[in-house]
Amino acid sequence: MTSGIANILEKRDHDRSDILAMLQCSEEEAPLLFRKAASVTDRYLGNNVYLRGLIEYSNMCGKNCLYCGVRRDNHTVARYTLSKDEVLEAAMTAYRLNLGSIAIQSGENTSTAFIDNVEELVREIVSLTGGRLGITLSQGEQSRETYHRWFEAGAHRYLFRIEASSEALYRKIHPDDQMHRYHRRLECLKIIQEEGYQTGTGVMVGLPYQTMSHLADDVIFMRDFNIDMCGMGPFIEHSATPLGSRGTDNLFLRERFNMTLRMIAVVRIIMKDINIVASTAMQTVDRAGREKAIACGANVVMPNLSPAKYREGYLIYEGKPGYREINGENISGLDLGMIPGTTVCLGVWGDTPHYSNRVAKA
Ligand code: 5AD
Ligand code: SF4
């Protein structure tokens, strides 16, 4: 049996059936898959882990995704937007602690005031840090003009999960209205890439109605889109959402976690030199989830810098760890003893060769 996966892992190029076979390998074969992914990380990126201080800027969201705890119709959430000073303070904490870069995330808001504020914040952070702090944005679907303005202001990476690359699956996990159109989402991802951002996408793993075939196609989608960064995590039910109202089924959560590890490993093997995040959702299911993700090919972690009093408001899914304060002694919060040989890189943006190669080829 083992020879099957071993042969596939030795190939230089993998087709859809190889991807499916890797995702579906047996429990006994999985360590081979994970070791292969780790060796690819080592060879292409040198087992370095990069940090992005996460600033959850606002939980106001105009969308109503059927899986998400901060969806518009969840009226139990106290809505907040950080003040300019709170964002700048968090950004300067990242700068002082030498994290190298930050990610500013929020719900989807297309108001003029919001767009202006994000632009101003980016400009201010660039100016306060002399451009030395990398800035990633994640503000969902916006107009080309807005993406352009934010890029001009100094943001250079954008995280924008496609959530599900299958249009049919996408439609099952979103309301059927103008706000939630698969084609619009795809178009935004293209615009983000065209505007010059290092472009990140990803999917949730273990969604209702999702099949192995969908997951294989998700990997192919990311490869064909030639993305620079990938963020994936297990779907975790939130009780105040349509897809979570039956409560968390812990039995399947562990399987979704294990399948996310396989997705990370396969994406690493297929795309080699991109950045892959060890997501907070992984840590929610398993205390050592991020370390396990790193051991299978992830190379980015996002320590949360949001002010503690707002953490409750950003519960996209239940059980999200909000307690772990960043501290000067162990900035990444990782248990490095679990991932020997890994170096946490401080003071660098942490771009991968993938983006510069892609731009050079274009
Ligand atoms: N479980 C796991 N991940 C979720 N996200 C939203 N809701 C959930 C959930 N219930 C993810 C989406 C989104 C990111 C910010 O969080 O992929 O892009
Ligand atoms: Fe809003 Fe993002 Fe949640 Fe959808 S997933 S409801 S866009 S915060």
Side-chain angles (χ1 to χ4, degrees):
M1 263 312 277
T2 333
S3 65
I5 195 85
N7 286 341
I8 292 172
L9 291 174
E10 270 171 30
K11 288 188 178 180
R12 281 183 60 146
D13 292 311
H14 299 96
D15 61 17
R16 190 177 186 284
S17 68
D18 295 330
I19 291 171
L20 208 45
M22 287 190 273
L23 291 175
Q24 288 180 307
C25 72
S26 67
E27 282 285 304
E28 295 74 47
E29 291 170 324
L32 273 182
L33 176 72
F34 297 156
R35 273 203 296 277
K36 172 70 182 183
S39 77
V40 174
T41 319
D42 188 24
R43 171 145 172 232
Y44 285 83
L45 306 168
N47 277 351
N48 293 316
V49 166
Y50 302 115
L51 305 176
R52 285 92 180 81
L54 177 64
I55 303 172
E56 292 158 329
Y57 172 42
S58 170
N59 68 355
M60 315 264 257
C61 186
K63 288 183 83 173
N64 233 343
C65 305
L66 301 179
Y67 42 83
C68 177
V70 306
R71 65 198 301 271
R72 192 181 65 216
D73 283 357
N74 183 4
H75 301 294
T76 64
V77 175
R79 303 287 163 173
Y80 74 86
T81 300
L82 298 188
S83 68
K84 186 177 156 191
D85 284 347
E86 285 170 326
V87 176
L88 295 180
E89 195 185 315
M92 291 316 282
T93 301
Y95 186 57
R96 270 196 309 276
L97 291 172
N98 217 12
L99 262 63
S101 76
I102 54 168
I104 305 176
Q105 194 169 60
S106 67
E108 215 168 279
N109 186 339
T110 50
S111 72
T112 314
F114 178 81
I115 292 166
D116 292 348
N117 287 341
V118 171
E119 181 179 14
E120 196 184 316
L121 283 168
V122 172
R123 282 194 198 287
E124 194 103 0
I125 293 166
V126 169
S127 136
L128 286 170
T129 63
R132 283 186 289 274
L133 191 64
I135 304 176
T136 305
L137 292 180
S138 185
Q139 269 61 48
E141 294 171 32
Q142 301 287 342
S143 67
R144 183 185 286 276
E145 188 213 341
T146 300
Y147 290 133
H148 185 78
R149 275 174 55 192
W150 291 346
F151 187 81
E152 290 296 304
H156 56 100
R157 290 192 280 243
Y158 205 99
L159 301 175
F160 186 86
R161 290 190 183 178
I162 192 74
E163 313 294 3
S165 69
S166 145
E167 181 177 1
L169 179 57
Y170 188 91
R171 291 168 74 132
K172 286 205 167 89
I173 60 170
H174 294 97
D176 182 15
D177 63 27
Q178 285 306 321
M179 286 290 293
H180 303 82
R181 286 280 174 257
Y182 177 79
H183 287 282
R184 172 69 189 139
R185 193 137 190 102
L186 199 57
E187 184 184 46
C188 282
L189 191 62
K190 285 209 184 85
I191 296 172
I192 290 164
Q193 199 177 49
E194 284 166 11
E195 287 302 321
Y197 289 94
Q198 293 174 49
T199 305
T201 194
V203 296
M204 283 170 284
V205 178
L207 286 163
Y209 317 106
Q210 191 178 46
T211 64
M212 295 299 274
S213 194
H214 286 132
L215 292 173
D217 288 337
D218 288 335
V219 175
I220 290 169
F221 173 87
M222 292 189 251
R223 183 194 67 192
D224 291 351
F225 217 98
N226 205 7
I227 56 157
D228 307 297
M229 314 179 288
C230 172
M232 297 183 293
F235 164 64
I236 303 171
E237 289 91 342
H238 188 296
S239 58
T241 65
L243 290 184
S245 51
R246 285 185 307 161
T248 303
D249 194 329
N250 285 303
L251 184 64
F252 295 124
L253 255 187
R254 176 55 60 176
E255 308 223 312
R256 294 174 210 162
F257 176 87
N258 289 337
M259 190 48 66
T260 311
L261 290 180
R262 287 168 182 227
M263 282 291 281
I264 289 173
V266 173
V267 170
R268 171 59 69 211
I269 290 166
I270 301 287
M271 298 209 62
K272 308 215 183 321
D273 60 354
I274 66 168
N275 278 338
I276 303 180
V277 69
S279 64
T280 313
M282 293 298 274
Q283 192 190 0
T284 305
V285 180
D286 183 326
R287 276 185 75 87
R290 296 184 308 173
E291 290 80 355
K292 289 180 184 172
I294 289 167
C296 309
N299 70 318
V300 170
V301 294
M302 302 175 69
N304 198 334
L305 291 175
S306 310
K309 64 177 170 175
Y310 298 114
R311 301 262 174 106
E312 278 271 297
Y314 217 88
L315 290 182
I316 296 171
Y317 41 80
E318 282 160 334
K320 181 170 166 253
Y323 47 83
R324 204 183 288 246
E325 295 304 322
I326 201 161
N327 75 61
E329 272 135 57
N330 181 8
I331 291 167
S332 69
L334 292 172
D335 180 353
L336 290 173
M338 287 187 62
I339 32 177
T342 302
T343 310
V344 174
C345 297
L346 295 179
V348 290
W349 281 17
D351 294 342
T352 66
H354 187 89
Y355 173 74
S356 33
N357 291 340
R358 176 165 75 75
V359 172
K361 271 190 207 145

